Amino acid sequence: ESTASAFEMAARLGYDGVEIMVWTDPVSQDPEALRRLVDYHGIPILAIHAPCLLLTQRVWGTDPWAKLVRARAVAETLGAPTVVVHPPFRWQRDYAREFVTGIERMAGETDVRFAVENMFPLRARGREVSAYAPDWSPVDDDYAHVTLDLSHTSVSRSDPVAMAGVLGERLVHVHMADGVGSAKDEHLVPGRGTQPCAELLELLATGGFDGTIVVEINTRRAESRAQREADLAEALAFTRLHFAAPSAAGLHHTYG
């Protein structure tokens, strides 16, 4: 559905805010239109996802650095603390060559955090090929801030709990979703796959995580708007329950 619909549903279902994926919907590209939606629905924008998908290769032009500059400007204008960005595609050779140092340089020019997202290798016939450079995983590169996506850890067959432990304070943004370990990026409602969604949320809560947790699920198979909203409500309830679980356990122990 549209960007405007996302605000309306988020407000009605009780979400605290939204992450804006900048894509082909003109409203997602227009900071003034977004500001009007923020004001009307009372829902803040907590992150801007730069247009770095194959589908959005021509959104905001074709220069990847210009896209990040524009995403940063929109984030600053709308008070969003984070810009989510994917690693470069391998064929973007010049961009990939300067990506780690370029992200570091841009991060030093603003209070907005550039959180580089974990992606995944492509698997076919028993082989794995990375479409991203310097790597599909941001864990071993020198990024100050990272986004951890649990649908992507499902595809890459990575352990998100272990990745979170290695990242420590560099982990500032989470895309909460699920998957069953297939080669397809599924973005299931958390709890419907095999990813340790609950365990990660409880680990983050115990560690005092103060970043942003974003429900990022695929609802294209929903047979109706009511089903789409039910999936979004279920994902929100799951995430809130498990992110609060350690505190609830502590209260139970204290008060019997």
Side-chain angles (χ1 to χ4, degrees), residues 166-185:
V166 172
L167 288 168
E169 293 184 354
R170 293 198 296 149
L171 176 59
V172 298
H173 201 73
V174 174
H175 284 166
M176 181 51 51
D178 213 333
V180 296
S182 75
K184 182 180 179 182
D185 188 15

Side-chain angles (χ1 to χ4, degrees), residues 18-34:
V18 295
E19 173 178 323
I20 295 298
M21 168 75 78
V22 179
W23 63 300
T24 55
D25 182 348
V27 173
S28 74
Q29 305 171 28
D30 184 344
E32 290 309 312
L34 291 172

Side-chain angles (χ1 to χ4, degrees), residues 74-197:
V74 172
E76 290 172 340
T77 297
L78 298 174
T82 302
V83 167
V84 178
V85 57
H86 292 181
F89 290 111
R90 188 167 291 279
W91 59 82
Q92 295 175 302
R93 294 182 181 179
D94 292 341
Y95 180 43
R97 189 179 302 113
E98 303 294 332
F99 185 68
V100 177
T101 55
I103 288 290
E104 181 181 11
R105 181 185 67 253
M106 291 187 69
E109 298 170 352
T110 179
D111 291 331
V112 173
R113 302 176 299 199
F114 287 91
V116 181
E117 185 171 355
N118 64 303
M119 299 306 292
F120 46 84
L122 304 177
R123 297 201 311 268
R125 299 178 182 178
R127 298 181 60 190
E128 287 191 356
V129 178
S130 177
Y132 301 94
D135 196 3
W136 57 264
S137 172
V139 172
D140 294 328
D141 290 303
D142 193 23
Y143 303 118
H145 302 114
V146 170
T147 295
L148 181 59
D149 184 302
L150 273 77
S151 181
H152 296 174
T153 60
S154 176
V155 181
S156 66
R157 299 176 181 174
S158 307
D159 181 347
V161 173
M163 291 175 74
V166 172
L167 288 168
E169 293 184 354
R170 293 198 296 149
L171 176 59
V172 298
H173 201 73
V174 174
H175 284 166
M176 181 51 51
D178 213 333
V180 296
S182 75
K184 182 180 179 182
D185 188 15
E186 297 166 292
H187 285 277
L188 302 178
V189 172
R192 296 186 186 176
T194 58
Q195 290 301 287
C197 299

Side-chain angles (χ1 to χ4, degrees), residues 201-216:
L201 288 166
E202 290 165 10
L203 173 70
L204 295 176
T206 301
F209 179 75
D210 63 355
T212 306
I213 301 170
V214 176
V215 166
E216 191 179 73

